[in-house]
Amino acid sequence: MIVQLDKNISTETIDNLQSKLKGIGYEGNEVKTQFDHYMICIGKKPFDIRSIGCLEGVKDIHKVTDPYKLVSRQWKVKNTLIDLGDDVIIGEGHFEIMAGPCSIESPEQVESVVKHLKANGVNIMRGGVYKPRSSPYSFRGLGIEGLKMFHQICSAHGVKIITEVMMTEQIDAMLPYVDIFQVGARNAQNFNLLDALGKTDKAVMLKRGISGTIDELLYAAEYVFSNGNERILLCERGIRSYETAYRNTMDINAIAMLKEKTHLPVVADPSHGVGVRKFVEPVALASVMAGADAVIMEVHQCPEKAFSDGQQTLDYAQAERTYGKMRGAFALRES
Ligand code: PEP
Ligand code: MN
């Protein structure tokens, strides 16, 4: 059960509500976000919802039977929109593309990608400065100085930034330079990181774990929300299966399923999802038709020279064609 509390509810009224909940065998967990104030009530005994709904300080009350609560569609039927400012909005009728290299490499590279994005009406650039690599000998990113450079160029052109944060300790320094924090697949259940991101006001995109279930992804989002941050996006980026013919198995089903289970926007990452350049476009289009609110993809001026993930990265001409087709698919889906 989720109780939405009145804006200026007093601590006395909250205490009173807590004791009423205890009386019916429920534990109340208070959650205050940038948008609202809630009491998440955990318990099993059936009771008349009206006995709580009529109490002082209660704005609204919702029965939620899902194991995750705040991210469930059972209480919030309307889709959540993520507003990044300057008319860049993700969710519900606002299809967005996030594109850019796997890794930020140099100012020249960022300038070149930004020019390409601007020419194609793409508002959000991706690029990692902290790279989780399978081998410690691979390129691991330019770090905070790289992020400052990335931000300087993007902000001069009105382009938003999504980049990965790997550790709680990185958050504060990154905060002024980021529009969306990405939590990578390898950190999908790093609950300390999720708690800490929940205490910020920044948008957070959570990637599905490499072997993560849909429920585990939703629980990860619940961590962020219950810490006070409602600005969450979920990302399907492929899962590990028995198939070895491609990098990951893009779970298109999950996109349709997530759209039903949660009010949060869903992003598709076909680049990591399939991991093979020539299949990125068809997988992206399938993702859009399945309901994705945004697509994130790897794009580089010269994919063969990319510091990381070149094999799944599109060049500018391929990317341009894919943007056009995705926008066409979105229009078809919405018609
Ligand atoms: C990335 O976006 O470059 C990345 C490392 O993604 P993932 O965490 O999905 O592997
Ligand atoms: Mn990558």
Side-chain angles (χ1 to χ4, degrees), residues 101-103 126 128 131-133 164 182 207 247 269 271-272 298 308-313:
C102 179
S103 301
R126 63 146 289 147
K131 296 303 302 177
R133 303 306 301 277
E164 178 163 352
Q182 173 176 318
K207 288 206 170 189
R247 185 175 179 182
D269 178 349
S271 307
H272 295 85
E298 290 181 336
S308 54
D309 284 351
Q311 80 291 344
Q312 64 193 31
T313 299

Side-chain angles (χ1 to χ4, degrees), residues 102-159:
C102 179
S103 301
I104 296 300
E105 299 169 5
S106 67
E108 295 71 32
Q109 176 218 34
V110 177
E111 294 272 8
S112 166
V113 174
V114 163
K115 213 168 132 194
H116 155 81
L117 298 180
K118 291 299 287 182
N120 287 284
V122 176
N123 300 312
I124 308 167
M125 178 163 166
R126 63 146 289 147
V129 295
Y130 295 111
K131 296 303 302 177
R133 303 306 301 277
S134 298
S135 162
Y137 309 114
S138 302
F139 176 65
R140 293 170 71 180
L142 296 181
I144 192 72
E145 291 311 315
L147 178 59
K148 288 180 188 170
M149 173 272 286
F150 181 17
H151 175 261
Q152 194 180 16
I153 299 168
C154 282
S155 60
H157 294 89
V159 170

Side-chain angles (χ1 to χ4, degrees), residues 97 120 285 318-330:
I97 297 167
N120 287 284
L285 296 177
Q318 290 162 336
E320 256 178 65
R321 198 182 60 174
T322 305
Y323 303 151
K325 289 196 183 178
M326 288 193 298
R327 288 173 175 141
F330 176 71

Side-chain angles (χ1 to χ4, degrees), residues 86-256:
D86 305 315
D87 293 328
V88 182
I89 298 169
I90 303 171
E92 189 77 5
H94 302 266
F95 179 68
E96 281 292 336
I97 297 167
M98 312 175 190
C102 179
S103 301
I104 296 300
E105 299 169 5
S106 67
E108 295 71 32
Q109 176 218 34
V110 177
E111 294 272 8
S112 166
V113 174
V114 163
K115 213 168 132 194
H116 155 81
L117 298 180
K118 291 299 287 182
N120 287 284
V122 176
N123 300 312
I124 308 167
M125 178 163 166
R126 63 146 289 147
V129 295
Y130 295 111
K131 296 303 302 177
R133 303 306 301 277
S134 298
S135 162
Y137 309 114
S138 302
F139 176 65
R140 293 170 71 180
L142 296 181
I144 192 72
E145 291 311 315
L147 178 59
K148 288 180 188 170
M149 173 272 286
F150 181 17
H151 175 261
Q152 194 180 16
I153 299 168
C154 282
S155 60
H157 294 89
V159 170
K160 307 288 178 192
I161 286 179
I162 177 168
T163 194
E164 178 163 352
V165 57
M166 287 179 64
M167 296 194 307
T168 307
E169 294 72 21
Q170 293 164 345
I171 295 174
D172 283 349
M174 292 175 76
L175 213 53
Y177 309 108
V178 169
D179 296 290
I180 307 174
F181 277 119
Q182 173 176 318
V183 176
R186 292 154 193 83
N187 261 321
Q189 288 191 307
N190 180 340
F191 300 118
N192 294 325
L193 183 60
L194 300 173
D195 278 344
L197 290 167
K199 294 186 171 68
T200 75
D201 184 34
K202 286 276 158 155
V204 179
M205 186 181 83
L206 302 173
K207 288 206 170 189
R208 183 177 180 180
I210 289 173
S211 302
T213 64
I214 289 172
D215 271 7
E216 283 165 344
L217 177 58
L218 291 165
Y219 272 125
E222 189 81 13
Y223 267 85
V224 178
F225 202 137
S226 63
N227 273 281
N229 187 359
E230 301 196 18
R231 305 181 70 214
I232 308 164
L233 304 126
L234 303 175
C235 179
E236 168 58 41
R237 49 77 74 202
I239 47 174
R240 181 161 291 174
S241 75
Y242 55 80
E243 185 54 74
T244 55
Y246 28 76
R247 185 175 179 182
N248 288 301
T249 297
M250 183 69 173
D251 184 4
I252 302 287
N253 303 0
I255 297 170

Side-chain angles (χ1 to χ4, degrees), residues 17-83:
L17 178 61
Q18 289 274 29
S19 58
K20 284 273 178 3
L21 288 167
K22 221 180 210 138
I24 56 163
Y26 276 69
E27 183 210 327
N29 299 270
E30 195 183 341
V31 169
K32 203 168 188 172
T33 71
Q34 66 267 72
F35 301 129
D36 217 340
H37 198 168
Y38 310 87
M39 187 73 77
I40 316 309
C41 312
I42 307 296
K44 289 204 172 73
K45 281 194 211 139
F47 70 99
D48 184 351
I49 199 164
R50 287 168 299 186
S51 66
I52 299 294
C54 65
L55 295 175
E56 192 194 336
V58 173
K59 187 166 74 181
D60 210 345
I61 182 162
H62 315 268
K63 196 168 172 216
V64 181
T65 55
D66 283 337
Y68 39 84
K69 304 293 176 194
L70 289 159
V71 304
S72 169
R73 200 184 271 290
Q74 285 181 340
W75 78 276
K76 190 176 175 196
V77 181
K78 255 178 91 181
N79 289 315
T80 290
L81 297 177
I82 305 295
D83 188 344

